[in-house]
Amino acid sequence: MNNKEYLERGRFAPSPTGRMHLGNVFSALLSWLSIKAQGGKWVLRIEDIDPQRSRMEYADLIMGDLEWLGLTWDEGPFYQSERGEIYEAELQKLTARGLTYPCYCTRADILATQAPHESDGRVVYKGTCRNLKPGTHSGPAAVRMRVPEEGEGIVSFVDGHYGEQTVDLTTQCGDFIVRRKDGAWAYQLAVVVDDALMGITEVVRGRDLLLSSPQQIYLAKELGFAPPRFTHLPLLCNTEGQRLSKRDRSLDMEALRSRFEAEDIIGLLAYKAGLQESPNRVTAEELVAGFDWKKIGCEDIEF
């Protein structure tokens, strides 16, 4: 048995807010292939921390679709909704060190502070509530993680596909939320804690989450965890250059399963990724031996 099976651990962590679409399948496939090519284990985690949008029936559909595609998992499923006490304990460690603070700002408040040149849709929190005196405000508050002062929050890492990345957390991200105003756990905290405690060594996901990586690296180190390796993928886009989403019903798994076999979908995605020279029918298992990140381009892929 390959000893790497115990060392390399990847994961797929979908949010059960709708049926998977082709872009989700693409991420799952490359995550699965990458870790299997290393002889590792693939962990399934259901990120159902948004109580308003998460549905168990979607989680069941996701798992059924993964099995139908041949993307079977070695451990899990683990549900984030059942891990609140773990997140609370880690949050208290940060709070005890003065690394968090309550934030009473609304989204409208935050948008009003954005400079005119910040037109790429990214919202950078300016620290309005960072130094509020206790008792100044009342009512529901989010909890934010402090990032270092400008020039001191530089995070550099090597992405497994896009290479060297350097981000200034202060100017490009700002203090970020670790618990929402409604009490729900924020993505950044939950994912960092879970990746660490589940022993995840490799995270493969779409390049739209590239800016999340330096935040997660910073948070992991503040919690005393070793961050995983990050590898980001080109996005699947429609003919207008828009990222595929769960609104693209013609490309969700319900529609796809009514028209194609699993091997057709895997073959087409493998072809689009550069893993085979034609969109021939193929199983995920058959792609493992020839998998190589160098075959995959960096430009987004049109569907």
Side-chain angles (χ1 to χ4, degrees):
M1 183 175 293
N2 191 334
N3 287 334
K4 277 193 168 183
E5 185 176 355
Y6 299 98
L7 298 176
E8 301 299 334
R9 293 168 61 83
R11 49 86 161 168
F12 183 55
S15 298
T17 58
R19 194 77 179 259
M20 283 201 301
H21 59 75
L22 200 59
N24 302 134
V25 176
F26 187 56
S27 291
L29 174 62
L30 293 191
S31 171
W32 189 89
L33 288 173
S34 181
I35 206 66
K36 291 299 178 180
Q38 300 172 68
K41 290 188 175 182
W42 201 56
V43 178
L44 179 62
R45 185 170 73 227
I46 304 297
E47 298 197 337
D48 57 343
I49 50 174
D50 187 334
Q52 297 176 343
R53 300 175 62 221
S54 298
R55 299 287 185 273
M56 181 59 72
E57 56 264 34
Y58 288 135
D60 291 339
L61 285 169
I62 288 168
M63 289 186 282
D65 288 336
L66 289 172
E67 290 180 322
W68 181 78
L69 289 161
L71 302 178
T72 54
W73 53 96
D74 300 294
E75 293 181 18
F78 300 103
Y79 294 87
Q80 287 188 328
S81 59
E82 299 173 354
R83 298 173 61 81
E85 291 183 2
I86 297 172
Y87 307 144
E88 180 68 44
E90 298 301 326
L91 176 60
Q92 290 306 315
K93 294 177 185 178
L94 298 171
T95 301
R97 294 171 54 206
L99 291 175
T100 67
Y101 61 89
C103 175
Y104 301 89
C105 295
T106 65
R107 182 167 178 81
D109 294 334
I110 296 168
L111 289 174
T113 69
Q114 302 301 295
H117 67 275
E118 293 168 336
S119 58
D120 62 356
R122 184 188 306 163
V123 176
V124 179
Y125 185 65
K126 303 298 185 181
T128 306
C129 293
R130 186 182 249 245
N131 298 310
L132 284 180
K133 294 180 180 179
T136 304
H137 283 68
S138 60
V143 179
R144 287 189 182 270
M145 176 76 181
R146 296 178 186 269
V147 299
E149 299 297 328
E150 186 169 352
E152 298 177 2
I154 306 297
V155 175
S156 295
F157 67 100
V158 179
D159 182 77
H161 194 52
Y162 288 95
E164 185 73 31
Q165 305 290 319
T166 299
V167 170
D168 186 330
L169 291 175
T170 311
T171 60
Q172 293 179 258
C173 302
D175 297 340
F176 53 90
I177 291 177
V178 288
R179 191 166 196 173
R180 296 184 347 192
K181 191 176 290 188
D182 63 2
W185 295 103
Y187 167 75
Q188 303 293 17
L189 178 70
V191 74
V192 166
V193 172
D194 285 344
D195 283 346
L197 298 185
M198 294 178 186
I200 302 303
T201 58
E202 178 183 77
V203 171
V204 174
R205 60 192 182 189
R207 69 163 184 81
D208 53 321
L209 290 170
L210 195 56
L211 193 61
S212 284
S213 297
Q215 297 173 66
Q216 291 168 14
I217 290 169
Y218 170 68
L219 182 53
K221 290 181 177 178
E222 290 299 331
L223 286 169
F225 300 138
R229 303 185 307 276
F230 292 98
T231 300
H232 290 82
L233 316 170
L235 302 178
L236 300 192
C237 297
N238 61 25
T239 54
E240 297 177 354
Q242 300 168 323
R243 177 171 62 94
L244 297 187
S245 73
K246 291 174 182 175
R247 293 186 297 272
D248 295 305
R249 298 302 300 274
S250 64
L251 293 176
D252 77 7
M253 284 301 294
E254 180 179 3
L256 292 170
R257 287 184 67 165
S258 71
R259 297 161 53 202
F260 303 105
E261 297 297 325
E263 292 82 0
D264 297 319
I265 297 171
I266 298 295
L268 178 60
L269 289 174
Y271 168 64
K272 289 285 191 176
L275 296 175
Q276 59 177 9
E277 295 181 357
S278 63
N280 291 339
R281 288 166 51 92
V282 69
T283 66
E285 189 66 43
E286 290 170 332
L287 292 170
V288 173
F291 180 79
D292 189 339
W293 281 107
K294 294 179 182 177
K295 297 178 180 179
I296 302 170
C298 291
E299 297 297 321
D300 289 344
I301 300 169
E302 183 179 305
F303 262 85

